[in-house]
Amino acid sequence: MGVKHKDLTQFLSVPALCLYLVFFVYPLVQGFAMSFTNWDGMGNASFVGIDNYVRFFSDGRAMNDIRTTVVFALASATLLNLVGLAYALLMDRDFRLRGLVRVIIYLPAIISPLIMGYIWYFLLQPQRGFLYHALMQLGLPDIVGNWVLSYPKSLSVLVAVNVWQFAGMTMIIYLAGLQSIPGDLIEAARIDGAGRCQVFFRVKLPLLIPAIRINVVTNIIGSLSVFDIIMSLTQGGPGYSTESLSIYIMRMCYGNRTGYSTAVAMMLFLLILIPVLVSLRLTRSKE
């Protein structure tokens, strides 16, 4: 019976394996082969070797996009985990209307990032946004200023909007991890004289390693592949200073440089894969 059950389990995994091969492995292999061609998306493709990769590393705009993407990912992933964990610790307490507050925090995550970006642009639009007029009516200076003309301010607004929208999703995972911790462990630590900080760092945080792994990986992937929020808020401006690699790939593809854009997509794949593997290795060793 055990052998038959094992054979049945392997048979049931075949459809999932076929979908994985068709929708992930095949496009990846096909894209890797295409990255060595000069295909324009319409005509025949010819082999150009590593010219696309050489062109990528010699393109100042592409190097700036790597910097912007990495800075955005580092800031967003870090803040998402810190804010999400703080939310989870607050929502783990018992108080009135706790369920409603959880819904309010999580609600922005179900809205399209493109729509959310446009909403925030109408709120923060220099000289015309709702926040600008509200501050003027209150006799206060415009604390945001003309952020669309400044790279540091534009990037800060992008990170803030991204964290505000997706912190609730991070909170849900941390909250599930906190609620899975046995209450006996926390009670035993308090009986032994541990304070709140000691309970958190010595009991809760080590048991949250699986939740930390999930949040770190998902936040890194989402932040490095950012597209919607930047397109709706800054469209990569001022100039191309806040353009991400995803937007660069799209623009190169629409510019009849499909082979080159595929090579850039391969570089983005590596840019995402390396920190994900490193974070998985670090969290596994901590666990």
Side-chain angles (χ1 to χ4, degrees):
M1 290 297 293
V3 176
K4 291 182 179 180
H5 178 72
K6 183 177 180 180
D7 293 339
L8 180 61
T9 303
Q10 293 176 348
F11 176 75
L12 292 176
S13 65
V14 171
L17 179 61
C18 291
L19 291 174
Y20 178 77
L21 293 174
V22 171
F23 291 103
F24 181 78
V25 176
Y26 174 73
L28 181 63
V29 174
Q30 188 76 5
F32 182 72
M34 191 185 300
S35 68
F36 294 100
T37 68
N38 62 352
W39 189 42
D40 60 359
M42 298 294 291
N44 296 325
S46 58
F47 181 77
V48 295
I50 62 172
D51 287 355
N52 288 330
Y53 293 94
V54 173
R55 185 184 307 172
F56 171 74
F57 285 106
S58 61
D59 187 354
R61 176 180 168 184
M63 295 299 101
N64 176 76
D65 291 349
I66 289 181
R67 183 193 67 170
T68 299
T69 304
V70 171
V71 172
F72 177 88
L74 287 175
S76 290
T78 302
L79 290 175
L80 278 169
N81 280 277
L82 292 176
V83 175
L85 181 58
Y87 277 154
L89 291 172
L90 290 174
M91 294 301 104
D92 194 38
R93 299 180 179 182
D94 190 14
F95 58 91
R96 293 182 62 185
L97 302 178
R98 181 177 60 177
L100 178 61
V101 175
R102 290 180 182 179
V103 172
I104 293 174
I105 295 175
Y106 182 75
L107 190 61
I110 68 176
I111 301 175
S112 167
L114 190 66
I115 296 175
M116 185 60 67
Y118 283 124
I119 291 173
W120 276 102
Y121 181 74
F122 291 138
L123 292 174
L124 301 175
Q125 191 176 14
Q127 306 298 320
R128 293 188 294 176
F130 174 80
L131 182 61
Y132 171 80
H133 289 289
L135 291 174
M136 291 299 102
Q137 291 294 327
L138 294 174
L140 299 175
D142 185 7
I143 58 175
V144 179
N146 198 351
W147 55 272
V148 297
L149 297 179
S150 171
Y151 169 74
K153 287 185 178 180
S154 297
L155 194 61
S156 299
V157 169
L158 292 171
V159 171
V161 172
N162 188 65
V163 172
W164 178 84
Q165 182 174 10
F166 294 109
M169 188 176 297
T170 307
M171 175 200 70
I172 293 298
I173 298 175
Y174 279 131
L175 189 59
L178 286 172
Q179 293 181 346
S180 67
I181 298 175
D184 296 342
L185 292 178
I186 299 176
E187 188 66 26
R190 289 174 178 170
I191 292 174
D192 289 339
R196 289 185 177 181
C197 291
Q198 291 176 319
V199 169
F200 173 73
F201 286 105
R202 298 295 180 88
V203 180
K204 293 183 178 180
L205 193 60
L207 295 175
L208 282 176
I209 292 297
I212 293 174
R213 181 191 299 122
I214 295 173
N215 277 325
V216 168
V217 170
T218 55
N219 290 334
I220 287 176
I221 294 174
S223 299
L224 286 175
S225 59
V226 61
F227 179 89
D228 309 71
I229 290 180
I230 294 179
M231 281 299 295
S232 56
L233 275 170
T234 66
Q235 296 185 358
Y240 296 112
S241 59
T242 60
E243 183 181 64
S244 65
L245 271 182
S246 298
I247 298 176
Y248 181 75
I249 292 169
M250 181 268 294
R251 288 173 172 167
M252 292 297 105
C253 185
Y254 286 165
N256 295 327
R257 300 172 65 181
T258 307
Y260 174 71
S261 65
T262 307
V264 181
M266 292 296 104
M267 298 307 302
L268 178 60
F269 174 72
L270 290 177
L271 185 64
I272 295 174
L273 182 64
I274 292 173
V276 166
L277 293 178
V278 171
S279 61
L280 286 174
R281 180 65 180 272
L282 291 176
T283 53
R284 186 178 296 113
S285 63
K286 291 293 182 181
E287 186 176 11

